[in-house]
Amino acid sequence: MSNRKSRWPLRLPSLIVLLVLSAGSLAAASAVASDARSEQRSLLTEKTTIAALLVGNIFSEFGQSLSQISATSTSTDSLQAAAKSLDGEMSGLGVLSGSAGHFELVNSVGQKSPLSADAAVSPSLAQLATRAESANTFVSNVIPVGSNRRLVYAKAVSPTRVLYGVVAFDLTNPDVGAGSGNPFSDLDGALYAGAQTTPDRLVLTDTAHLPLARSAVQQKISVGADQWTIVATAAGPLTTGLVRDAEWGVLIGGLLAALLASSVVEVLARRQTYATKLVEVRTSALQDALERQSELEAQERSARETAEAANRSKSEFLSRMSHELRTPLNAILGFSQLLQLDDLSESQDEAVGQITKGGRHLLALINDVLDISRIETGNLTMSQEPVAVADLLGETAALMAPTARTRDIRLTVEESSSAGLHVLADHQRLKQILLNFVSNAVKYNRVGGQVTLGTESIEGGCLRLYVQDDGPGIPTEKLDRLFIPFDRLGAERTQIEGAGVGLALSRRLAEAMGATIGVQSIFGTGSKFWIDLPLTEGPLERLDQLELGRLDQLGGSDGSGRREILYIEDNLSNIRLVERLLEKRPDVTVLPALHGRLGLTLAIERQPALILLDLHLPDMHGLDVLRQIRSHPTTAATPVIILSADATPSQIRVLMDQGATAYLTKPLDLHQLHHEISAAIDTHTQPVGRQPAHLN
């Protein structure tokens, strides 16, 4: 086998990825271009429709003005008075007498031959008068008048009399629609008196390039008893510059993404080749060692374990590559935010905003994918404990309220149905699921819609937490695809942001907690997403059942003044439990902190007598909080009692080795908790690193 290196910069898998993603970018750009053309056509149709309504009303007014003239008198004075009342709309008026195509001119004013009393009625005018006799309203047509073409209206005013009027403007050069004041100056259009778009029917136009292209839009106009036709094409682009240039943005962005993806695949392929070769070399070395010496069996086992570890590292490397994407994302987000601090033009600020927005979207997507990966591998830890439903719904609504206000969405909570109820769940993960539900209900709702958070009891001692909206709903045939990762049910073709992993992650989180989620939707009416959880007893209810007098005897004030206990916990029910437990000790104040970083800040600033610490916090793990507490000189000797639902022995050993004073598991033994608190704050000693005080 030749050892010469390939001259190709990319291997076959990387090249395939590059070609596939490039082809996808071209297809996406083509689709965007097609959408732009469709929008151009839609705007042309919309503008033509508006123009048709406007022009139809204008020319209908001519006929309606004619209909208001009384033709009972055929005198010249009467016709002149009628012509004067039209204020220049008609260049001539006349009355014809007869029927069935045989008409004679009774009298006329204004327009002369061949519409004068001494000339025969032209066939075109006679035909128009015949149609007027059989119509309930006025009729119109373009007919020759001398050497010109004129638009003529006719209206039967009695069984034997027909009144006609000649429109004032000349149709020989009908460019009256041109001019800067024309609201439809971005259209090239032509108006024809009738269904046929022939030159002899042309009434007016704003372009000399007739006839218009076959792609022009045609609209019918009702003018009296006749159907006129307006034909229009776009004189230039009707869409915005952003829509027209979107296909280039998609194409360039897709090609850049293809290059990045192919580079990542190339790195993965090279690492995989390296790991495979390493396994082969170690395996060969083991086989040689077995053949040479039997006494090196222990070394051979070690080498085999090393080879197996190398093989596992290949799989671990592939799973950790998503973590490596955070490094370039950190640079992208960091520098984009620095750019936003500079004085940028409007277009530059918009471009930088899009970069920041896309980077944060990709970071959230990576976090969701990592959570799904942890669930599938069993590495995602859960802290199951009683969660106050009313508090949880209130927190969720408060977090989503700003987003709802941007779309004028009314966000309400049915507090009466959840008051005093607790469910068994991981507080942080349950809130993550509800936030996903509410976020989707707001994003996909109509502007001015409503989203409701509430609860309802179901069989089996469970409680259903639901999020209901009055948006467009989901078609029944698409419900089965709702929880498939990256399947957005066609929403990817809209401007609504998302990646399609939120609901998939929510289902996996619910299953990890032993819960069930589902959806009910009526297309055109709205959707209802829910999660079913078992009801449980609240911490305060357990406290009320105990003999608090016995707790008071376990410890009391030593007369040294009021002391603070810092409780770092994101579950409000647990905070209230500790506050109730210590409310009869006037020398103790409970200082709550719902986040790990806030707890660290308060610990350094307030220097409490004792710190109670939960492990599963929204922003960081409790182990990291404990390490920082022990590493800071101000809090290094402060007693720290861990309160967690995680009763894993290995977890307990790690926390005790890192300096925890005690480790109590939930549900808490309140007598033991009261005893540990009293011992920690009353003895003025720091029992760091001793054995766990209580294990359930």
Side-chain angles (χ1 to χ4, degrees):
M1 182 182 294
S2 174
N3 292 327
R4 297 176 59 188
K5 293 184 178 179
S6 172
R7 295 182 180 180
W8 288 96
L10 295 176
R11 302 187 184 190
L12 181 59
S14 306
L15 186 60
I16 292 175
V17 170
L18 179 61
L19 293 176
V20 170
L21 292 181
S22 298
S25 300
L26 291 172
S30 176
V32 171
S34 177
D35 289 342
R37 290 193 296 271
S38 298
E39 184 173 352
Q40 171 83 357
R41 182 72 176 183
S42 176
L43 290 174
L44 174 60
T45 302
E46 181 180 347
K47 286 211 165 202
T48 303
T49 302
I50 297 174
L53 292 174
L54 178 61
V55 173
N57 289 335
I58 292 174
F59 282 92
S60 293
E61 288 176 359
F62 290 157
Q64 292 168 359
S65 299
L66 186 67
S67 300
Q68 297 172 0
I69 299 174
S70 173
T72 57
S73 175
T74 59
S75 66
T76 301
D77 292 340
S78 298
L79 290 180
Q80 286 179 345
K84 185 177 181 180
S85 68
L86 294 179
D87 195 20
E89 293 180 3
M90 301 291 179
S91 64
L93 291 174
V95 178
L96 302 178
S97 175
S99 63
H102 301 285
F103 291 92
E104 293 181 354
L105 183 63
V106 177
N107 199 359
S108 68
V109 297
Q111 183 69 32
K112 300 302 180 181
S113 177
L115 304 178
S116 60
D118 56 352
V121 176
S122 67
S124 299
L125 182 58
Q127 184 181 8
L128 182 65
T130 301
R131 286 203 297 121
E133 283 185 330
S134 60
N136 294 326
T137 181
F138 62 87
V139 296
S140 59
N141 200 2
V142 175
I143 64 175
V145 178
S147 60
N148 299 326
R149 293 182 300 108
R150 294 286 185 174
L151 179 61
V152 180
Y153 290 87
K155 176 72 169 62
V157 295
S158 72
T160 60
R161 294 287 179 99
V162 175
L163 178 67
Y164 72 83
V166 184
V167 177
F169 64 83
D170 188 0
L171 302 188
T172 304
N173 185 23
D175 56 349
V176 298
S180 59
N182 180 12
F184 305 102
S185 58
D186 51 358
L187 299 180
D188 288 338
L191 178 66
Y192 297 88
Q196 298 179 352
T197 58
T198 55
D200 60 324
R201 294 298 183 93
L202 181 63
V203 177
L204 62 83
T205 180
D206 62 354
T207 177
H209 301 289
L210 294 177
L212 297 175
R214 290 184 178 181
S215 60
V217 172
Q218 291 191 10
Q219 292 284 349
K220 298 299 180 182
I221 307 173
S222 295
V223 179
D226 299 318
Q227 288 288 320
W228 289 19
T229 305
I230 186 170
V231 184
T233 59
L238 300 179
T239 56
T240 62
L242 181 62
V243 173
R244 295 195 301 272
D245 299 336
E247 58 179 300
W248 295 107
V250 171
L251 180 60
I252 294 173
L255 292 177
L256 291 176
L259 289 173
L260 176 61
S262 61
S263 300
V264 172
V265 172
E266 179 66 17
V267 172
L268 290 173
R270 293 183 184 278
R271 294 292 182 91
Q272 185 178 22
T273 301
Y274 170 77
T276 302
K277 289 182 177 179
L278 180 61
V279 172
E280 294 174 353
V281 169
R282 295 297 176 88
T283 303
S284 177
L286 282 172
Q287 292 174 349
D288 293 340
L290 286 172
E291 294 173 355
R292 290 194 305 266
Q293 329 178 23
S294 58
E295 64 270 21
L296 298 178
E297 183 178 355
Q299 297 180 4
E300 293 169 358
R301 284 197 302 268
S302 176
R304 189 181 301 110
E305 293 172 356
T306 303
E308 292 172 353
N311 193 27
R312 287 194 301 271
S313 68
K314 176 180 66 175
S315 300
E316 293 176 358
F317 173 79
L318 295 176
S319 65
R320 292 179 181 177
M321 274 308 298
S322 56
H323 288 282
E324 299 300 327
L325 292 175
R326 293 176 180 271
T327 300
L329 270 179
N330 182 60
I332 292 172
L333 290 173
F335 283 105
S336 64
Q337 293 176 69
L338 288 177
L339 286 173
Q340 288 178 324
L341 299 177
D342 296 336
D343 293 329
L344 303 177
S345 66
E346 184 176 352
S347 61
Q348 290 173 334
D349 186 69
E350 181 182 0
V352 173
Q354 290 295 331
I355 294 173
T356 305
K357 185 178 180 181
R360 288 174 177 167
H361 174 70
L362 185 56
L363 182 60
L365 176 61
I366 291 173
N367 290 334
D368 288 345
V369 172
L370 284 177
D371 278 343
I372 293 176
S373 176
R374 292 191 189 102
I375 295 172
E376 292 177 344
T377 57
N379 293 327
L380 185 68
T381 58
M382 288 285 180
S383 177
Q384 301 276 73
E385 57 183 322
V387 177
V389 177
D391 292 342
L392 179 66
L393 297 182
E395 293 172 21
T396 304
L399 289 173
M400 292 304 303
T403 304
R405 281 195 295 269
T406 61
R407 303 194 69 239
D408 196 24
I409 301 293
R410 289 184 296 127
L411 187 60
T412 59
V413 179
E414 296 181 355
E415 298 178 350
S416 59
S417 61
S418 59
L421 298 179
H422 291 75
V423 293
L424 186 63
D426 184 299
H427 179 271
Q428 181 181 346
R429 297 302 182 181
L430 179 55
K431 183 163 67 174
Q432 184 177 357
I433 293 173
L434 292 179
L435 287 174
N436 276 333
F437 288 172
V438 178
S439 176
N440 286 342
V442 171
K443 285 194 303 183
Y444 296 99
N445 207 333
R446 58 184 175 85
V447 175
Q450 179 168 344
V451 176
T452 303
L453 286 81
T455 62
E456 54 189 19
S457 299
I458 59 176
E459 297 180 357
C462 293
L463 186 70
R464 173 167 293 178
L465 284 64
Y466 66 83
V467 176
Q468 187 167 8
D469 65 75
D470 58 355
I474 304 167
T476 304
E477 63 272 16
K478 293 185 178 182
L479 288 177
D480 292 338
R481 297 160 44 199
L482 196 59
F483 297 95
I484 298 176
F486 304 104
D487 189 344
R488 299 189 63 204
L489 309 184
E492 62 274 10
R493 294 188 295 271
T494 67
Q495 296 181 350
I496 301 176
E497 297 179 354
V501 297
L503 290 179
L505 174 59
S506 297
R507 167 168 281 184
R508 285 170 169 79
L509 289 175
E511 291 172 350
M513 290 189 293
T516 304
I517 68 173
V519 59
Q520 298 171 347
S521 184
I522 300 177
F523 186 66
T525 301
S527 302
K528 180 179 182 180
F529 287 81
W530 45 263
I531 177 171
D532 293 341
L533 294 156
L535 284 166
T536 187
E537 185 181 47
L540 294 180
E541 296 172 355
R542 292 181 55 246
L543 182 61
D544 292 336
Q545 297 172 6
L546 295 176
E547 298 180 12
L548 296 182
R550 294 178 54 199
L551 295 178
D552 295 338
Q553 299 173 3
L554 295 177
S557 174
D558 61 355
S560 59
R562 196 171 188 83
R563 284 160 295 180
E564 290 183 336
I565 296 178
L566 175 61
Y567 190 7
I568 307 175
E569 166 69 74
D570 64 330
N571 191 328
L572 294 177
S573 295
N574 292 333
I575 294 176
R576 294 192 187 103
L577 172 65
V578 173
E579 290 175 341
R580 283 281 305 277
L581 183 66
L582 300 174
E583 65 183 2
K584 292 190 176 182
R585 291 201 53 161
D587 63 316
V588 172
T589 299
V590 178
L591 182 65
L594 301 180
H595 294 79
R597 291 184 177 87
L598 175 61
L600 287 171
T601 301
L602 293 175
I604 296 172
E605 292 178 355
R606 306 295 290 267
Q607 299 182 28
L610 172 64
I611 298 176
L612 303 178
L613 176 62
D614 182 41
L615 295 182
H616 297 277
L617 301 170
D619 55 342
M620 59 192 302
H621 196 272
L623 177 59
D624 297 326
V625 176
L626 178 61
R627 287 170 176 166
Q628 295 190 40
I629 289 174
R630 288 290 173 250
S631 63
H632 198 279
T634 304
T635 58
T638 303
V640 179
I641 298 177
I642 306 298
L643 306 179
S644 174
D646 190 348
T648 309
S650 58
Q651 176 82 304
I652 297 174
R653 285 194 297 270
V654 170
L655 270 295
M656 297 303 295
D657 291 341
Q658 292 295 324
T661 306
Y663 193 117
L664 304 183
T665 57
K666 301 174 183 177
L668 297 169
D669 183 331
L670 298 181
H671 292 88
Q672 184 68 21
L673 174 60
H674 193 278
H675 174 79
E676 289 293 331
I677 292 175
S678 299
I681 65 176
D682 291 340
T683 59
H684 302 287
T685 60
Q686 174 56 31
V688 176
R690 58 186 173 87
Q691 292 300 313
H694 176 71
L695 296 177
N696 283 339

